[in-house]
Amino acid sequence: MVKLIQHSTIPTFYEPAVFSSDPIARQRLAECDYTIRITKEMAATGTAPRLVRMYADGAFDLFHQGHARVLMQAKQAFPNVYLIVGVCSDAMLHRQKGKTVLTEEERYGALTHCRYVDEVLRDAPWELTEDFLTEHKIDFVAHDDEPYPSGDVEDIYAPLKARGMFVATQRTEGVSTSDLVARIVRDYDVYARRNLARGYSAKELNISFLKEKKLRFKNRMEQLSRNIGERKDEVFNKWEEKSHEYIDKFLMLFGRNRNRLSRYIEASKQRVLKAITPPGTPACTSSEDSSSDDEPLRKHRRLTD
């Protein structure tokens, strides 16, 4: 747990962080004696005569646990840290990185409710200048240790590292804003169906009429599947009961007498053939035809004889 100095202007974890433009933040800035330069050794051993002003910045879009863990590391880097978090504006991020999901006001507000943050600086600069560090009386800057290029500069944090004003933090593997956006894009249909079911219109979701009908049909099919799933035990028990009945009847008929099964199959075959054979006039046999044709000839012979 971070140790808090008992002071009238020091925030507690029960209050949201203030903005740099708020009067209380300006008061804290005025009370800081920046002529006392704090080294890493002084900060690490807790011998600094004043609060250690730590600065961390970022976009903090879709604020997640990875962001919170970075800020926790910055807050707990030394005893008695006052953590200032700079958040870039929409205009800056759209120009440098691309469109964000949350607006700048939403991102600012999210940071004020992080327990590790004491102060939020709106519209933070993309690169840190000496004037900026002096204006906000910043002792250390926290960021992950990977080189961060910008334009022709290979690492914008290189000067701070050289001066001993850089504190390295560790990223949280497996979670980032880009990962979250990728999940939404990958499962787009799932989330679109979810929001349609919750009352959003096709226009609000930016989908066509046909796409809306397709997704609503999938929702209905899924609901039907769930309804069947809830009754699966009942359906299975009925099927099992009927299957046992059919098996018992089959064994009673044919289980002990294979000839009987053969006769049953042959009789069934004959019934099928009879059913598909069209009806017609019964035909006489060849012998009957022959005898009927010879009868007048025999009578004639008897008369002539």
Side-chain angles (χ1 to χ4, degrees):
M1 178 62 68
V2 179
K3 180 181 177 182
L4 295 178
I5 298 176
Q6 299 298 319
H7 193 283
S8 60
T9 62
I10 302 301
T12 69
F13 289 150
Y14 303 102
E15 301 170 352
V18 298
F19 290 108
S20 297
S21 57
D22 291 346
I24 189 170
R26 291 183 170 277
Q27 179 185 345
R28 293 169 187 165
L29 181 64
E31 291 176 351
C32 174
D33 185 358
Y34 200 54
T35 61
I36 303 174
R37 306 312 297 260
I38 298 176
T39 65
K40 273 191 176 182
E41 182 181 358
M42 293 169 61
T45 57
T47 57
R50 60 173 175 80
L51 288 173
V52 178
R53 290 174 70 87
M54 180 79 72
Y55 179 80
D57 61 4
F60 302 104
D61 195 18
L62 295 177
F63 189 81
H64 52 73
Q65 62 164 337
H67 294 140
R69 286 176 63 84
V70 165
L71 298 178
M72 178 187 71
Q73 293 172 57
K75 180 71 174 178
Q76 297 179 348
F78 310 120
N80 304 329
V81 166
Y82 181 83
L83 181 58
I84 306 166
V85 178
V87 184
C88 298
S89 67
D90 285 348
M92 174 72 72
L93 289 175
H94 294 171
R95 184 169 62 253
Q96 297 287 349
K97 297 184 71 174
K99 184 173 176 57
T100 58
V101 178
L102 301 181
T103 66
E104 58 187 34
E105 291 300 328
E106 291 169 332
R107 292 183 289 110
Y108 298 153
L111 267 297
T112 64
H113 294 285
C114 177
R115 62 180 297 181
Y116 307 112
V117 179
D118 299 307
E119 182 178 322
V120 175
L121 175 67
R122 298 185 181 97
D123 194 13
W126 191 252
E127 297 183 20
L128 305 181
T129 64
E130 187 64 34
D131 289 343
F132 176 83
L133 297 174
T134 302
E135 179 186 354
H136 295 279
K137 300 181 179 180
I138 294 168
D139 297 308
F140 300 97
V141 175
H143 200 274
D144 65 82
D145 205 19
E146 294 295 322
Y148 204 91
S150 178
D152 297 333
V153 180
E154 293 183 2
D155 185 8
I156 63 176
Y157 295 104
L160 296 172
K161 293 175 181 177
R163 294 168 57 186
M165 295 179 65
F166 185 83
V167 174
T169 58
Q170 300 296 319
R171 287 178 174 269
T172 302
E173 293 297 328
V175 59
S176 69
T177 299
S178 297
D179 291 337
L180 296 177
V181 172
R183 290 186 210 173
I184 295 171
V185 172
R186 181 190 61 203
D187 299 325
Y188 171 78
D189 278 10
V190 174
Y191 295 114
R193 287 165 49 196
R194 170 182 178 269
N195 279 15
L196 280 174
R198 294 189 176 190
Y200 284 80
S201 67
K203 183 178 180 180
E204 289 172 310
L205 297 177
N206 195 28
I207 59 176
S208 67
F209 175 80
L210 292 178
K211 182 73 171 180
E212 177 195 7
K213 298 307 177 188
K214 179 181 177 181
L215 295 178
R216 290 192 184 280
F217 176 75
K218 286 185 177 180
N219 277 347
R220 288 194 291 271
M221 294 303 295
E222 189 175 275
Q223 182 62 47
L224 177 62
S225 178
R226 282 199 298 267
N227 292 341
I228 293 174
E230 292 170 358
R231 300 176 54 216
K232 64 181 180 181
D233 291 338
E234 177 186 349
V235 172
F236 178 77
N237 289 336
K238 287 184 177 179
W239 174 84
E240 188 176 31
E241 180 181 337
K242 286 294 182 182
S243 66
H244 288 167
E245 180 182 340
Y246 297 148
I247 292 171
D248 289 343
K249 288 182 178 179
F250 183 86
L251 292 176
M252 287 176 64
L253 287 171
F254 312 115
R256 297 180 181 178
N257 192 336
R258 293 187 179 181
N259 292 331
R260 188 174 185 182
L261 176 59
S262 299
R263 290 196 301 271
Y264 176 80
I265 294 173
E266 184 63 27
S268 299
K269 189 188 301 182
Q270 293 300 324
R271 283 196 295 271
V272 171
L273 289 173
K274 183 178 180 181
I276 64 175
T277 301
T281 303
C284 297
T285 62
S286 58
S287 59
E288 290 175 344
D289 293 342
S290 176
S291 61
S292 60
D293 292 340
D294 292 344
E295 183 64 25
L297 182 59
R298 287 197 295 269
K299 291 182 179 179
H300 177 72
R301 285 176 180 173
R302 285 197 298 270
L303 290 174
T304 56
D305 289 345

